[in-house]
C-alpha cells in the first residue's frame, strides 16, 4: 500500500482526570524526523512516543503534540503545606538578612519553593497509560490518512505511466518510416553532390546512420522501467526511495531519445516523455 508523507490526524480523550488530545502532522522528508511537544508532567513519555513513531513510520518530518488539561476535580483539590520545610526556609532567609543586613523576605517566594506547597499527588502512571493508548489510536488514524492520500498519488502515477507507454509505442511505430526517410535523404544528398558510392559502401553508410538514430534499446528499457514501477507500486512497504531511483532511470532514457531525435514527431514525443516523468517525480517526492 502506497503511503503519502503528507498527513494530519487528531485524537481526543475526555476522562474525569481531564482532557488529552494528540495532534500529528507531517510533510515530506528524505528520512524520518520526529518532533514531540509534551506538557512538563509528561516529559518522561518522550522516549516512548519517539519509539512508537519510529516503529510504525519510515519517512517524513513528523510533528507530534500532546495537549493536556486537568479535570475540574483535580483543579479544585486542597493544597498541602509542608510547615517544617517552610520554617527551615524562613529561618535560613532570616539568617541571611541578619548576616548581610539587606534583602526582604517575601512569603510568596517561600511558598514557591519546591516541596513547600503541593497538591494531592496525581496518579500520573494511570493517566500516562491512557494517553499512550490514545497515541496508538492517533497513529492508526494518521497512517490511514497517509494511505488514503497515497492511493490518490498512486492513481496519478499510473495515469502517467500509461502516457509513457503510449509515447513509447508512438515512437516505435514511427521509427521504420523515419529510417526510410533518412535513407532517401542520404541518397538525395549524394546525388546532389554528384557522389557515387558502390552498393556495399552505401549500405555501410545507411547502417551507420541507422545506428546513430536507433532508439529501440532506449524504448525497451523505458517499458522495462514502466513494468518495474508497476511492480513497486504493488509492494506492501515503503517504496519512496525505490521510485525516486526509477525516476533517474526514466530520465536517462528520455534524454538519450531526445538527443538521437532527427524528426519533429519523435522530438515532440521525447518532450512529452520528459513532462510525464517530471510529473511522476513530483508525486514520488511525497511518497513514504
Amino acid at each position: 500500500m502506497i503511503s503519502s508523507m503528507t498527513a494530519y490526524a487528531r485524537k481526543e480523550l475526555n476522562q474525569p482526570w481531564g482532557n488529552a488530545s494528540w495532534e500529528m502532522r507531517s510533510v515530506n522528508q528524505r528520512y524520518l524526523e520526529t518532533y514531540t511537544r509534551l506538557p512538563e508532567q509528561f516529559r518522561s513519555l518522550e522516549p516512548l512516543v519517539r519509539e512508537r513513531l519510529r516503529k510504525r513510520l519510515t519517512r517524513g518530518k513528523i510533528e507530534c503534540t500532546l495537549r493536556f488539561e486537568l479535570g475540574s476535580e483535580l483543579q479544585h483539590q486542597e493544597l498541602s503545606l509542608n510547615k517544617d520545610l517552610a520554617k527551615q526556609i524562613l529561618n535560613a532567609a532570616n539568617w541571611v538578612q541578619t548576616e548581610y543586613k539587606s534583602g526582604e523576605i517575601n512569603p510568596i517566594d517561600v511558598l514557591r519553593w519546591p516541596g513547600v506547597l503541593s497538591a494531592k499527588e496525581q496518579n500520573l502512571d494511570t493517566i500516562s497509560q491512557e494517553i499512550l493508548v490514545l497515541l496508538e489510536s492517533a497513529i492508526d488514524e494518521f497512517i490511514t490518512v497517509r494511505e488514503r492520500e497515497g492511493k490518490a498519488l498512486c492513481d496519478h502515477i499510473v495515469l502517467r505511466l500509461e502516457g509513457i507507454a503510449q509515447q513509447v509505442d508512438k515512437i516505435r511505430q514511427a521509427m521504420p518510416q523515419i529510417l526510410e526517410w533518412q535513407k532517401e535523404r542520404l541518397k538525395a544528398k549524394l546525388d546532389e553532390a554528384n557522389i557515387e558510392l558502390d552498393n556495399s559502401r552505401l549500405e555501410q553508410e545507411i547502417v551507420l546512420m541507422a545506428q546513430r538514430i536507433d532508439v529501440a534499446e532506449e524504448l525497451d528499457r523505458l517499458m522495462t522501467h514502466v513494468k518495474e514501477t508497476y511492480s513497486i507500486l504493488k509492494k506492501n512497504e515503503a517504496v519512496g526511495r525505490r521510485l525516486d531511483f526509477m525516476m533517474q532511470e526514466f530520465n536517462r532514457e528520455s534524454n538519450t531519445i531526445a538527443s538521437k531525435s532527427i524528426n519533429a514527431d519523435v522530438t515532440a514525443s521525447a518532450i512529452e516523455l520528459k513532462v510525464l516523468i517530471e510529473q511522476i517525480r513530483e508525486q514520488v517526492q511525497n511518497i513514504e
Side-chain angles (χ1 to χ4, degrees):
M1 175 70 73
I2 296 295
S3 294
S4 169
M5 282 191 284
T6 304
Y8 173 84
R10 186 178 186 275
K11 279 290 183 179
E12 187 173 351
L13 179 66
N14 292 298
Q15 293 287 14
W17 43 256
N19 172 275
S21 65
W22 284 103
E23 190 174 283
M24 297 180 63
R25 65 180 76 234
S26 68
V27 294
N28 58 333
Q29 178 72 11
R30 189 173 181 183
Y31 303 104
L32 178 65
E33 289 186 16
T34 59
Y35 298 89
T36 58
R37 295 187 180 91
L38 307 178
E40 190 61 38
Q41 63 266 49
F42 295 106
R43 288 282 184 184
S44 60
L45 297 181
E46 188 168 337
L48 293 174
V49 173
R50 291 184 181 276
E51 180 185 352
R52 296 190 182 198
L53 292 174
R54 291 195 180 100
K55 186 180 292 186
R56 303 188 60 186
L57 304 167
T58 58
R59 293 181 73 195
K61 181 179 178 180
I62 300 166
E63 295 180 4
C64 186
T65 303
L66 171 63
R67 305 187 192 283
F68 179 78
E69 290 182 8
L70 284 174
S72 58
E73 294 180 8
L74 296 181
Q75 287 179 347
H76 297 96
Q77 63 188 345
E78 293 184 3
L79 297 176
S80 175
L81 176 63
N82 188 334
K83 295 180 180 179
D84 292 336
L85 179 58
K87 287 178 181 178
Q88 292 178 37
I89 296 170
L90 282 171
N91 290 335
N94 285 326
W95 180 85
V96 171
Q97 188 180 44
T98 302
E99 188 72 19
Y100 293 97
K101 296 181 173 49
S102 64
E104 294 182 359
I105 301 174
N106 188 338
I108 299 300
D109 290 337
V110 176
L111 292 176
R112 287 174 179 164
W113 191 271
V116 173
L117 198 62
S118 62
K120 180 182 178 181
E121 187 174 348
Q122 303 166 22
N123 190 354
L124 286 182
D125 288 342
T126 301
I127 297 175
S128 295
Q129 287 304 314
E130 293 189 47
I131 284 176
L132 288 174
V133 171
L134 182 66
L135 173 63
E136 289 296 334
S137 179
I139 295 175
D140 288 341
E141 182 176 325
F142 187 69
I143 290 175
T144 299
V145 173
R146 278 185 150 204
E147 290 177 347
R148 187 165 58 244
E149 294 190 9
K151 173 64 168 56
L153 293 177
C154 184
D155 292 343
H156 179 95
I157 291 172
V158 166
L159 189 63
R160 270 61 187 177
L161 288 175
E162 291 172 356
I164 289 174
Q166 290 172 3
Q167 293 302 323
V168 167
D169 187 57
K170 185 177 178 180
I171 295 173
R172 203 187 297 276
Q173 290 182 16
M175 285 311 297
Q177 183 179 352
I178 293 171
L179 288 172
E180 185 63 29
W181 170 78
Q182 185 68 358
K183 179 179 176 181
E184 295 299 326
R185 188 163 171 257
L186 176 62
K187 288 181 178 179
K189 284 189 175 182
L190 291 173
D191 291 342
E192 185 180 342
N194 293 321
I195 298 176
E196 292 186 8
L197 297 177
D198 57 58
N199 289 336
S200 62
R201 177 63 188 279
L202 180 60
E203 288 298 323
Q204 217 174 30
E205 289 295 328
I206 292 173
V207 168
L208 290 173
M209 174 203 67
Q211 288 177 344
R212 284 196 299 270
I213 66 173
D214 183 39
V215 291
E217 289 186 11
E218 287 78 8
L219 295 176
D220 288 341
R221 283 196 290 268
L222 271 177
M223 288 310 300
T224 300
H225 297 337
V226 168
K227 292 177 182 177
E228 178 62 19
T229 303
Y230 276 125
S231 176
I232 292 172
L233 291 173
K234 294 177 183 177
K235 293 183 180 293
N236 191 24
E237 58 187 65
V239 296
R241 290 193 183 95
R242 290 190 184 189
L243 290 173
D244 191 51
F245 171 77
M246 291 305 302
M247 292 306 101
Q248 298 176 36
E249 298 302 304
F250 272 108
N251 270 317
R252 183 177 291 111
E253 305 306 335
S254 66
N255 287 337
T256 304
I257 291 171
S259 66
K260 288 185 175 182
S261 174
I262 59 169
N263 177 274
D265 292 336
V266 174
T267 300
S269 290
I271 293 172
E272 182 63 18
L273 281 172
K274 292 178 74 66
V275 170
L276 291 167
I277 293 167
E278 179 60 22
Q279 289 174 345
I280 295 177
R281 191 193 67 80
E282 289 175 357
Q283 301 307 318
V284 165
Q285 300 305 307
N286 291 322
I287 292 178
E288 182 178 13

